């Protein structure tokens, strides 16, 4: 039985106002609905499914076996045994076992009714039995308010779809029973100050997703008989969807994603935010995905899922909530069922990457041993045995989901590739839900299936003792303030910048990030620039200071921008510009690793740490700026047994309100291959930078010391070792010509970059070129952000 925690996260009472302005006005309601079945199983879909229903199709064989499994058994009322042995059926966890059985039986009935009436009648009768037990009221039924209406995702959705799929088998009295109980669930959810009030108040959570799907299914299925259904349909289309979901998701989840984490809530949450849109189309003909004010989430979700799975295919980007003990494999293991349902969505709505997703699903299936497959009815619906496949290498090597400010990039689509995940955006989940964590500006790095830089909140819940560490994460995120315990309430397990108010060694007040939103806090946090230049990927995030709690004396963080320059195949230069609210505050960058790092050697004034995890060399971190930084390594958490993550805190050697930090991460497969990181010598202009010297190629990265987003003016100059190298200069004027000259003096190469010339900066103000050992300049090819398929990923608009 899954456990869940509901937490009020920095939340204040919330009115049921539109989260963001509606982008289209009220829509005309359908005057008539399609005939039953009208939800998903329209005539075209049923024709296809009936053609697929052969003994040669493993998905049909599995579905029919599931349908047969309940024949001859007893269906328990919700008040009865929740987990009886087959062929009997109980509700499971708040209806979780009813729904897959009901929809399997209903689908078997619909598929066979024209070819095997006897078998269809048996399956249909079982579906009716389940539906009537689900919709029981009184002492035998399920109270809608249990766990703040959690069961709406099963009971509400099941009553709507079940009513539609076996409509012709129901008597008028039975129909009345179903829609009366369904109406009661909707009323309970929508009652002001009622049991589901804080869930209903916000359009992004796994709870609201269940309600969103349930209300659409109930209203559309019962439209012709249920006196309440026309008003329910009107509210769903013109309020829940048009004023709340569509504008919110197009703003905060454009490009896909699920801010509650992918280990537990994403698969069902995504399903419940996508299937209703298909049901609207099959019932009314309205296409909400391709409307004038589009709802692209059903297709975007598939793109996000492919890009944010680790190169190994066996693990997913593990930000936000991950529950311990959630399955036979570690929490965060990629769930095959999510990709199965996403394939069904892109097959229905259309995507240039459908055939690639089919191949990607096969690779995830093989990598995880079929972990977490979808229900049989979903698999039969979604998986076309004759569907075309295409190589995964046809996908772009980087992706931006603008809504969540999430960036993924990799060296290639092989299973041992280098990969990064980055995020910077305002809080998007329901702040009263507490499933999105506090890591805006955080970076994670992996090579194949070997992590270097962790999302520690996802990693710690792995066994052994995953539940104990999950409780520690909860205390860190939501615990009460303690002057002597930094691990209570300070949210200090992320790869971000921290500022603490400390007096005589004791904390004075809370620190860390908060659930700050665009709507309530006017948070401006965003990915301000994103570009794939082929040899490099450039990401710049600004407004990160808006995500921090304030101290009693004012802002803890008054400015923080983070820039990542990914040098393919496996090196990452991270540049942070920070300003604290007071020079007296304790400031540090935090980085988290899967093993205790070991000190190594690097350039003067820097620090290098090497990480080996599970017998495999993971890579290295080198601090370049501030020079002579102090590093402190702490187990996370000190009382964990065993320790599964180590935090390295990087501090400047001298106090200063404003600081510049330059950190290099190297995913090389051996310690000997790691690049030596040396600060550039600045000759002219306000710049910082680093030269990376390695046997497999050298590189130089240079950036401005000024505010992020303010282009450098005038000429700049710097000196580096005289080595052939790729140079990447950021913070220049966009799409502007420059002249690059290099002068060699002994072992040094002095480089000057002057406005005006034929070497062009990119649209994001990045100048990329190669200097050989003689000082000759070779311009790099133009960025490839819009290739290879126009619109995927969606061009970044800034």
């Amino acid at each position: 039985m899954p456990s869940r925690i509901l937490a009020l996260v920095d939340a204040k009472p919330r009115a049921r106002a539109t989260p963001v302005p509606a982008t289209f006005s009220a829509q005309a309601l359908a005057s008539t609905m399609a005939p039953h079945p009208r939800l998903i199983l329209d005539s075209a879909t049923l024709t296809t499914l009936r053609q697929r229903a052969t003994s040669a199709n493993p998905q049909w064989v599995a579905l029919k076996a599931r349908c047969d499994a309940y024949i001859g058994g007893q269906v328990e009322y919700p008040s009865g045994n929740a987990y009886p042995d087959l062929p009997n059926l109980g509700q499971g966890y708040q209806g979780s076992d009813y729904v897959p059985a009901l929809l399997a039986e209903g689908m078997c009935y619909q598929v066979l009714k024209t070819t095997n009436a006897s078998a269809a009648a048996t399956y249909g009768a079982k579906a009716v039995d389940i539906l009537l037990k689900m919709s029981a009221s009184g002492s035998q039924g399920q109270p809608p308010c249990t766990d703040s209406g959690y069961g709406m995702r099963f009971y509400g959705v099941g009553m709507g779809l079940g009513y539609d799929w076996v409509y012709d088998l129901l008597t008028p009295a039975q129909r009345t029973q179903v829609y009366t109980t369904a109406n009661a669930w909707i009323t309970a959810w929508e009652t002001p100050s009622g049991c589901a009030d804080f869930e209903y108040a916000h359009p992004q959570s796994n709870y609201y997703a269940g309600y969103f799907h349930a209300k659409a299914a109930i209203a559309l299925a019962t439209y012709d008989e249920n006196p309440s259904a026309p008003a329910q349909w009107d509210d769903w289309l013109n309020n829940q969807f048009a004023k709340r979901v569509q504008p919110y998701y197009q703003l905060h989840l454009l490009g896909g994603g699920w801010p509650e984490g992918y280990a537990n809530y994403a698969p069902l949450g995504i399903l419940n935010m996508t299937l209703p849109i298909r049901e609207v189309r099959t019932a009314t003909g309205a296409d909400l995905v391709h409307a004038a004010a589009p709802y692209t989430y059903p297709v975007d979700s598939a793109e996000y899922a492919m890009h944010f799975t680790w190169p190994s295919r066996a693990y997913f980007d593990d930000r936000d909530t991950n529950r311990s003990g959630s399955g036979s494999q570690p929490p965060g293991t990629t769930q095959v069922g999510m990709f199965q349902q996403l394939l069904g969505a892109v097959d229905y709505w259309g995507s240039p990457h459908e055939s690639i997703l089919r191949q990607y699903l096969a690779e995830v299936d093989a990598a995880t041993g079929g972990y977490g497959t979808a229900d049989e009815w979903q698999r039969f619906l979604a998986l076309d045995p004759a569907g075309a496949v295409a190589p995964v290498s046809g996908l772009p090597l980087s992706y931006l989901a603008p809504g969540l400010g999430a960036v993924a990039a990799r060296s290639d689509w092989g299973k041992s590739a280098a990969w990064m995940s980055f995020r910077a955006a305002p809080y998007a989940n329901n702040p009263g839900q507490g499933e999105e964590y506090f890591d805006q500006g955080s970076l994670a790095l992996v090579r194949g299936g070997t992590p270097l830089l962790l999302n520690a909140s996802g990693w710690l819940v792995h066994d052994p003792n995953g539940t104990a560490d999950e409780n520690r994460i909860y205390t860190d995120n939501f615990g009460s303030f303690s002057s002597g315990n930094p691990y209570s309430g300070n949210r200090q397990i992320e790869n971000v910048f921290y500022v603490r108010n400390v007096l005589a060694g004791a904390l004075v007040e809370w620190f860390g990030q908060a659930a700050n939103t665009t709507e309530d806090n006017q948070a401006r946090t965003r990915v301000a620039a994103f570009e794939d230049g082929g040899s490099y990927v450039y990401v710049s995030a600004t407004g990160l200071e808006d995500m921090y709690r304030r101290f009693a004396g004012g802002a803890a963080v008054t400015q923080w921008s983070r820039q990542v320059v990914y040098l393919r195949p496996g090196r990452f230069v991270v540049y942070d510009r920070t300003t604290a609210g007071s020079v007296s505050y304790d400031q540090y960058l935090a980085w988290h690793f899967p093993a205790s790092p070991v000190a190594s050697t690097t350039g003067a004034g820097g620090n290098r740490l090497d990480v080996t995890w599970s017998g495999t060399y993971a890579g290295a971190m080198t601090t370049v700026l501030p020079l002579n930084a102090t590093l402190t390594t702490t187990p996370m958490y000190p009382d964990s047994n065993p320790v599964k993550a180590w935090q390295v805190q990087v501090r400047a050697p001298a106090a200063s309100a404003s600081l510049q930090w330059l950190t290099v991460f190297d995913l090389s497969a051996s310690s000997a291959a790691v690049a030596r990181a040396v600060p550039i010598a600045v000759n002219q202009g306000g710049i910082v930078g680093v030269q990376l010297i390695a046997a497999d190629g050298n590189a130089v990265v240079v950036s401005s010391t000024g505010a992020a987003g303010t282009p450098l003016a005038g000429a700049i100059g710097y000196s580096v070792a005289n080595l052939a190298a790729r140079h990447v200069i950021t913070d220049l004027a966009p799409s502007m010509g420059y002249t690059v000259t290099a002068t060699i003096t002994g072992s040094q190469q002095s480089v000057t970059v002057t406005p005006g010339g034929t070497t062009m900066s990119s649209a994001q103000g990045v100048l990329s070129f190669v200097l050989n050992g003689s000082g000759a300049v070779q311009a790099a090819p133009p960025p490839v952000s819009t290739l290879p398929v126009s619109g995927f990923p969606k061009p970044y608009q800034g």
Side-chain angles (χ1 to χ4, degrees):
M1 183 178 298
S3 62
R4 292 168 322 286
I5 302 170
L6 299 181
L8 293 177
V9 184
D10 304 329
K12 60 185 179 182
R14 293 171 181 270
R16 300 182 185 199
T18 301
V20 292
T23 57
F24 56 82
S25 58
Q27 304 295 294
L29 299 178
S31 57
T32 58
M33 296 284 174
H36 295 285
R38 62 177 62 133
L39 305 183
I40 303 172
L41 301 181
D42 58 348
S43 59
T45 300
L46 275 175
T47 296
T48 298
L49 294 181
R50 286 165 180 162
Q51 292 170 349
R52 292 182 190 171
T54 70
S55 59
N57 183 350
Q59 307 308 333
W60 168 249
V61 172
L63 174 62
K64 189 174 182 303
R66 175 58 59 187
C67 293
D68 290 338
Y70 301 108
I71 302 304
Q74 175 179 326
V75 179
E76 297 276 355
Y77 282 98
S79 59
N81 183 357
Y83 299 97
D85 294 331
L86 287 174
N88 304 309
L89 175 68
Q91 72 157 321
Y93 187 74
Q94 299 196 48
S96 63
D97 286 358
Y98 279 153
V99 170
L102 169 64
L103 299 184
E105 301 289 351
M107 185 172 281
C108 283
Y109 165 68
Q110 287 292 344
V111 169
L112 293 177
K113 66 187 293 187
T114 59
T115 58
N116 189 337
S118 176
T122 300
Y123 298 136
K126 180 57 67 173
V128 169
D129 188 13
I130 299 169
L131 180 61
L132 294 179
K133 298 293 174 54
M134 285 184 71
S135 60
S137 58
S139 61
Q140 293 181 312
Q142 173 78 355
C145 278
T146 302
D147 188 7
S148 302
Y150 176 92
M152 181 64 128
R153 70 196 69 194
F154 301 123
Y155 279 91
V157 170
M159 284 187 282
L161 290 175
Y163 184 100
D164 179 59
W165 289 8
V166 296
Y167 173 84
D168 57 336
L169 300 178
L170 297 172
T171 68
Q174 290 170 337
R175 293 173 191 160
T176 300
Q177 173 185 318
V178 175
Y179 69 66
T180 299
T181 300
N183 291 346
W185 276 78
I186 292 174
T187 298
W189 248 84
E190 296 176 347
T191 298
S193 301
C195 60
D197 183 66
F198 84 95
E199 298 290 356
Y200 175 76
H202 196 283
Q204 210 298 307
S205 78
N206 64 90
Y207 278 71
Y208 180 87
Y211 159 79
F212 181 72
H213 188 182
K215 185 163 189 176
I218 292 166
L220 292 168
T222 69
Y223 189 85
D224 301 311
E225 297 83 29
N226 180 2
S228 300
Q232 292 169 354
W233 168 229
D234 188 4
D235 177 74
W236 186 92
L237 180 63
N238 289 313
N239 182 26
Q240 304 303 330
F241 177 75
K243 293 182 180 179
R244 307 185 74 201
V245 166
Q246 188 276 339
Y248 195 86
Y249 275 62
Q250 287 300 104
L251 177 64
H252 292 293
L253 284 105
L254 182 63
W258 191 262
E260 295 181 314
Y262 272 73
N264 300 89
Y265 297 122
L268 185 56
I270 293 170
L271 183 74
N272 283 331
M273 297 306 297
T274 58
L275 266 188
I277 312 306
R278 181 169 179 171
E279 293 159 12
V280 168
R281 189 177 185 186
T282 57
T284 72
D287 183 346
L288 300 178
V289 169
H290 301 100
Y295 180 67
T296 59
Y297 189 71
V299 176
D300 290 349
S301 293
E303 299 292 325
Y304 188 99
M306 288 188 286
H307 283 276
F308 285 87
T309 303
W310 283 18
S312 67
R313 315 292 197 261
Y315 198 72
F316 204 89
D317 191 24
D318 55 352
R319 297 173 188 270
D320 308 310
T321 295
N322 290 262
R323 301 289 186 215
S324 62
S326 60
S328 59
Q329 299 196 47
T333 299
T334 313
Q335 296 189 40
V336 172
M338 180 178 69
F339 282 92
Q340 290 169 333
Q341 72 183 42
L342 291 172
L343 179 58
V346 300
D347 179 44
Y348 185 79
W349 293 108
S351 163
H353 293 157
E354 177 191 343
S355 57
I356 293 177
L357 178 58
R358 192 169 283 110
Q359 173 61 31
Y360 200 92
L361 166 59
E363 295 182 11
V364 169
D365 196 359
T368 64
Y371 176 74
T373 58
D375 294 335
E376 291 83 0
W377 71 271
Q378 290 183 43
R379 303 205 305 265
F380 183 55
L381 176 69
L383 304 182
D384 180 359
V389 297
V392 173
S393 58
L395 288 169
L397 293 177
S398 61
Y399 185 77
L400 167 68
L404 289 177
V407 176
R410 64 190 67 217
S411 57
D412 56 72
W413 280 101
K415 295 179 183 177
S416 59
W419 173 87
M420 66 167 275
S421 162
F422 178 79
R423 181 165 75 175
Y427 203 86
N429 182 222
N430 180 352
Q433 185 72 31
E435 310 294 1
E436 182 178 0
Y437 287 167
F438 309 95
D439 68 340
Q440 300 306 324
S442 179
L443 177 70
L445 298 173
V446 170
R447 187 184 69 248
T450 301
L452 172 63
L453 197 55
L454 291 175
N455 294 316
S457 59
W459 197 253
L460 285 176
V461 299
H462 295 182
D463 284 335
N465 297 329
T467 299
D469 279 333
E470 181 184 347
N471 291 334
R472 292 182 180 97
I473 292 166
Y474 183 83
T475 299
D476 191 3
N477 278 334
F478 308 117
S480 300
F481 173 72
S482 170
S483 61
N485 182 9
Y487 305 109
S488 181
N490 293 304
R491 299 156 183 183
Q492 55 105 56
I493 195 171
E494 313 295 353
N495 297 320
V496 299
F497 176 58
Y498 285 100
V499 173
R500 308 191 308 166
N501 187 3
V502 180
L503 183 63
L507 291 172
V508 176
E509 52 195 319
W510 266 336
F511 63 98
Q513 294 190 4
N516 292 341
T517 68
T518 299
E519 292 75 26
D520 288 345
N521 310 101
Q522 293 74 55
R524 301 160 299 169
T525 310
R526 68 186 185 119
V527 172
F530 163 74
E531 183 170 81
D532 191 327
S535 63
Y536 70 86
V537 175
Y538 167 62
V539 181
S540 177
T542 60
L544 290 163
E545 66 273 10
D546 288 355
M547 298 311 298
Y548 284 83
R549 292 162 161 161
R550 293 179 62 85
F551 290 157
V557 181
T558 60
Q559 188 276 325
W560 177 31
S561 64
R562 171 164 281 179
Q563 171 186 289
V564 179
V565 175
Y566 169 28
L567 302 169
R568 288 192 171 102
R571 297 188 177 108
F572 304 80
V573 178
V574 182
Y575 176 40
D576 295 287
R577 287 168 269 198
T578 65
T579 303
S582 170
V583 70
S584 66
Y585 294 154
D586 177 36
Q587 308 169 51
Y588 63 92
L589 290 183
W591 306 106
H592 296 83
F593 303 97
S596 184
V598 177
S600 185
T601 57
T602 186
N607 302 273
R608 173 174 155 181
L609 297 177
D610 284 31
V611 178
T612 298
W613 173 73
S614 192
T616 299
Y617 185 76
M621 177 187 82
T622 303
T623 66
V624 180
L625 295 177
L627 291 174
N628 303 311
T630 300
L631 274 59
T632 305
T633 300
T634 303
M636 295 297 292
Y637 296 96
D639 56 347
S640 290
N641 184 23
V643 174
K644 288 169 250 175
W646 281 258
Q647 181 185 79
V648 174
Q649 298 176 357
V650 183
R651 288 179 172 83
S656 176
S658 295
L659 291 166
Q660 292 152 1
W661 318 72
L662 201 56
T663 312
V664 177
F665 295 92
D666 194 317
L667 289 176
S668 293
S670 69
S671 176
V674 171
R676 186 164 65 94
V678 182
I680 65 168
V682 177
N683 301 328
Q684 183 179 5
I687 56 175
V688 297
V690 61
Q691 182 177 30
L692 303 179
I693 303 171
D696 59 353
N698 309 305
V700 177
V701 176
V702 177
S703 301
S704 169
T705 58
T710 302
L712 282 159
I716 62 171
Y718 56 92
S719 294
V720 293
N722 183 28
L723 299 167
R726 177 193 341 165
H727 292 238
V728 177
I729 304 175
T730 70
D731 297 317
L732 296 176
S735 304
M736 181 172 173
Y738 286 85
T739 297
V740 179
T741 58
T743 302
I744 299 171
T745 306
S747 62
Q748 292 292 297
Q749 194 176 71
S750 296
V751 181
T752 302
V753 179
T754 307
T758 58
T759 303
M760 299 297 295
S761 65
S762 71
Q764 298 297 336
V766 179
L767 194 67
S768 178
F769 55 90
V770 173
L771 283 177
N772 63 24
S774 301
V777 180
Q778 177 184 343
V784 295
S785 299
T786 59
L787 300 176
V789 180
S790 178
F792 287 88
K794 291 175 172 57
Y796 182 67
Q797 302 298 324

